[in-house]
Amino acid sequence: MEQSVKAHYDFLVIGAGSGAMGASRRAAMFGKKVAMIENKVIGGTCVNVGCVPKKVMFNLASFLEDAHVISDYGVKGLDKLELDFGHFKRQRDAYIKRLNGIYSTNVKNAGIDYIEGFARFTSPKEVEVVKGQDQPIERYSADHILIASGSTPEEGTFEGREHCWVSDDIFKMEELPKSAVVLGGGYIAVEMSQILQAFGVKTTLLIRDVPLRQVDSEVVDNLVENMKKLGLDVKLKTPFTKVTKDQDSGLISVHTTTNEVFEAEKVLLAMGRPPCVRGLGLENAGVEVLPSGFVKVDENHFTNVPGVYAIGDVTNHEQLTPVAIKAGRILAEYLFNGRTDLQMNYANIPTAIFSHPPIGYVGLSEQQAIAKYGADNIKTYKSKFTNMFYSLAAEDKKKLGTLFKLICLKTDDGQEKVIGSHAIGRGVDEMMQLVAVSINMGATKRDFDRTIAIHPTASEEYVLMDPKLYF
Ligand code: NDP
């Protein structure tokens, strides 16, 4: 029997992740009647199977890596450290549960209706929500509907893909495998291979060409050097062809075009995150998608259908939590607070990759800058050094490399506009936020030079890159 519409909203948001939260809470602030529909756990990828649990794992991995160096400072017993992974997982999961609770409270306090179930468009102004096998389908209508359904790990189509884990599985892992092969060369492959290695899992990272294409190639070279120093078996230019499993031993083999076979207990696939659009019924609303599968939006996050919008990972923009949050808030300001002057600025988005030590970047790499402006118009400053933290390290292999680069566009007045910074080293994940502020304010190289250093820190290298100005 056809159900009648259960409720009508000003703003109906599909998803309860970072972008959805940003948009719906801001809309509720303006007194709008808002509902969110979520078929998984509140908080989305970032809170449940992404940034947050990953960062907790990175913190632990960093401590374990640092312990090797601190033992050279004279601290005894660090070589006998033993990780109780079960305890760690319970603590991490409890933390995530607390965050889920805080999110639920925030939604409730904002007066937003939270609807559990899977949303599907039936028309541009209406969705039906499938709640469970024996439960009736509910129908909701709205003046404005936002698609903020996020993304999901790429599962591949190659032979043997069913033997592989994706990143969601890493967070379910109850105990550590003895060995792992990680396939991919993006954020997740770089971060997870190093975390697993630091946890004592013998890890191989197989990259079809080079890692982190968007990052300055010298910084990437430094990353690969550091990975090797830490004992990670990293193979560049090694595409894989198929994955097989030995039924007796349970071991999984990755076969490559270089005719090598890499065997491990677990294989992690980290090859991108396609948008969650399957089953959404976009065709019922007439919403256009790009050939890549992402929802097509304009600069204000409007789709081709009036009253239907999309933000975050489901669109073809940077798949980063703060990007989705900002886009969501701006959309709500635009729709419900008359701020049609606001527009998301996708230039100079800073980001960090939690390798050991981390990478941070904002703006163009040297290679991107040269491609855009020509080599004659670009001046790059760099500082390559060993962080003082490693000063007492007994062996070279413990001394992980640091490289800071400032990429500048030459200007007629000789001031040189900073158009990018790419860096690897202890603390650059924290530094890059403020480098991004200065670049977004239009900082020149001379502004950096004019600034007094904080000594002794690694970040002081940012203002000491020009020896002729040491006076
Ligand atoms: P990325 O888009 O970062 O990287 C995808 C990787 O998979 C690339 O190295 C790509 O290689 C490789 N790849 C794609 N297809 C194949 C194939 N058939 N065989 C071998 N390799 C292949 O994806 P991730 O899954 O790592 O992460 C998704 C997104 O999530 C990131 O782009 C980022 O926006 C976000 N994220 C952000 C984090 C952070 O802020 N710290 C942490 C984790 C994720 P190639 O370059 O050759 O195409």
Side-chain angles (χ1 to χ4, degrees):
M1 198 184 67
E2 176 83 348
Q3 302 288 323
S4 58
V5 170
K6 195 168 172 186
H8 180 83
Y9 291 95
D10 296 318
F11 195 39
L12 195 52
V13 179
I14 301 177
S18 306
M21 286 290 167
S24 53
R25 288 180 66 192
R26 187 59 59 107
M29 237 171 74
F30 299 127
K32 297 296 158 188
K33 187 176 175 197
V34 183
M36 309 174 87
I37 309 172
E38 173 62 62
N39 71 319
K40 290 187 189 148
V41 189
I42 194 165
T45 299
C46 176
V47 170
N48 296 292
V49 285
C51 328
V52 176
K54 181 279 305 291
K55 185 71 190 279
V56 175
M57 290 170 89
F58 167 81
N59 289 342
L60 172 59
S62 302
F63 169 76
L64 293 170
E65 290 300 352
D66 286 356
H68 297 299
V69 180
I70 293 294
S71 65
D72 289 341
Y73 277 67
V75 180
K76 301 276 178 230
L78 289 175
D79 51 335
K80 297 187 194 75
L81 289 179
E82 198 184 323
L83 170 60
D84 179 350
F85 188 75
H87 174 88
F88 167 71
K89 183 178 184 296
R90 285 190 295 281
Q91 294 286 96
R92 188 197 63 201
D93 291 355
Y95 171 50
I96 303 301
K97 244 197 156 62
R98 284 204 301 280
L99 292 180
N100 295 143
I102 291 169
Y103 272 61
S104 295
T105 306
N106 288 344
V107 166
K108 212 167 150 202
N109 290 346
I112 298 166
D113 286 348
Y114 187 81
I115 302 164
E116 285 179 60
F118 191 93
R120 200 173 82 95
F121 279 94
T122 51
S123 77
K125 297 275 178 228
E126 206 180 292
V127 299
E128 59 181 21
V129 178
V130 182
K131 307 202 76 160
Q133 256 191 346
D134 303 324
Q135 296 185 53
I137 288 173
E138 292 173 355
R139 290 172 58 208
Y140 298 93
S141 60
D143 296 337
H144 303 275
I145 302 183
L146 172 62
I147 306 164
S149 49
S151 63
T152 186
E154 171 64 58
E155 300 204 336
T157 50
F158 55 89
E159 183 185 334
R161 66 135 312 276
E162 67 277 13
H163 305 309
C164 301
W165 270 359
V166 292
S167 56
D168 290 1
D169 299 303
I170 284 281
F171 301 110
K172 292 182 203 145
M173 176 170 73
E174 294 287 344
E175 53 188 54
L176 291 169
K178 286 196 172 52
S179 55
V181 174
V182 178
L183 301 174
Y187 278 74
I188 296 176
V190 165
E191 292 180 349
M192 279 303 168
S193 59
Q194 290 209 274
I195 287 171
L196 288 170
Q197 178 74 19
F199 285 0
V201 179
K202 191 175 169 302
T203 307
T204 301
L205 174 59
L206 287 188
I207 302 171
R208 69 171 164 187
D209 189 8
V210 290
L212 303 175
R213 282 183 196 284
Q214 68 280 37
V215 177
D216 190 279
S217 63
E218 271 186 289
V219 170
V220 170
D221 291 346
N222 214 303
L223 166 79
V224 173
E225 243 174 67
N226 289 341
M227 285 175 154
K228 289 180 177 167
K229 281 185 180 175
L230 290 169
L232 185 76
D233 183 20
V234 48
K235 306 276 185 215
L236 308 186
K237 301 195 184 305
T238 313
F240 71 95
T241 51
K242 65 174 178 179
V243 172
T244 54
K245 183 168 183 175
D246 184 294
Q247 293 309 332
D248 295 330
S249 66
L251 291 174
I252 306 170
S253 294
V254 180
H255 304 255
T256 69
T257 55
T258 51
N259 290 323
E260 291 166 282
V261 178
F262 297 89
E263 197 180 59
E265 264 184 42
K266 296 291 175 199
V267 173
L268 171 67
L269 198 58
M271 300 196 317
R273 295 184 59 89
C276 290
V277 288
R278 198 186 306 153
L280 275 186
L282 296 181
E283 62 289 355
N284 299 332
V287 174
E288 251 184 79
V289 293
L290 297 164
S292 53
F294 291 94
V295 176
K296 189 176 168 191
V297 286
D298 68 10
E299 61 283 3
N300 294 313
H301 301 98
F302 286 35
T303 69
N304 62 309
V305 177
V308 180
Y309 319 89
I311 53 159
D313 283 14
V314 79
T315 67
N316 195 18
H317 286 299
E318 285 81 352
Q319 293 182 312
L320 298 169
T321 294
V323 169
I325 295 172
K326 190 141 218 156
R329 287 178 180 161
I330 287 179
L331 179 71
E333 290 278 350
Y334 188 108
L335 294 176
F336 306 119
N337 194 32
R339 293 296 308 273
T340 49
D341 57 313
L342 291 178
Q343 207 169 72
M344 181 77 183
N345 177 10
Y346 282 100
N348 294 333
I349 293 173
T351 182
I353 297 146
F354 294 96
S355 49
H356 293 283
I359 288 172
Y361 73 90
V362 56
L364 301 182
S365 66
E366 184 177 2
Q367 301 77 41
Q368 290 162 345
I370 288 173
K372 186 165 177 185
Y373 296 106
D376 290 347
N377 296 312
I378 295 299
K379 176 102 199 263
T380 301
Y381 295 85
K382 50 187 162 183
S383 180
K384 191 171 179 168
F385 60 100
T386 301
N387 191 298
M388 203 173 167
F389 174 72
Y390 300 112
S391 55
L392 305 191
E395 306 156 75
D396 267 358
K397 76 174 168 55
K398 291 185 184 174
K399 298 178 183 174
L400 303 180
T402 307
L403 174 66
F404 292 179
K405 288 182 81 166
L406 267 186
I407 296 99
C408 303
L409 182 64
K410 292 180 189 166
T411 49
D412 292 342
D413 59 6
Q415 297 275 307
E416 298 175 341
K417 186 174 162 51
V418 181
I419 55 170
S421 177
H422 287 225
I424 183 167
R426 293 175 70 82
V428 302
D429 49 337
E430 299 289 346
M431 286 173 217
M432 204 50 66
Q433 190 72 72
L434 296 182
V435 176
V437 172
S438 53
I439 290 181
N440 276 319
M441 288 175 75
T444 63
K445 174 64 170 49
R446 294 296 164 255
D447 291 325
F448 277 74
D449 298 334
R450 267 195 283 271
T451 306
I452 301 287
I454 303 173
H455 185 72
T457 64
S459 61
E460 68 180 314
E461 292 296 324
Y462 264 113
V463 296
L464 299 174
M465 281 190 199
D466 205 339
K468 69 178 182 297
L469 292 170
Y470 289 177
F471 50 75

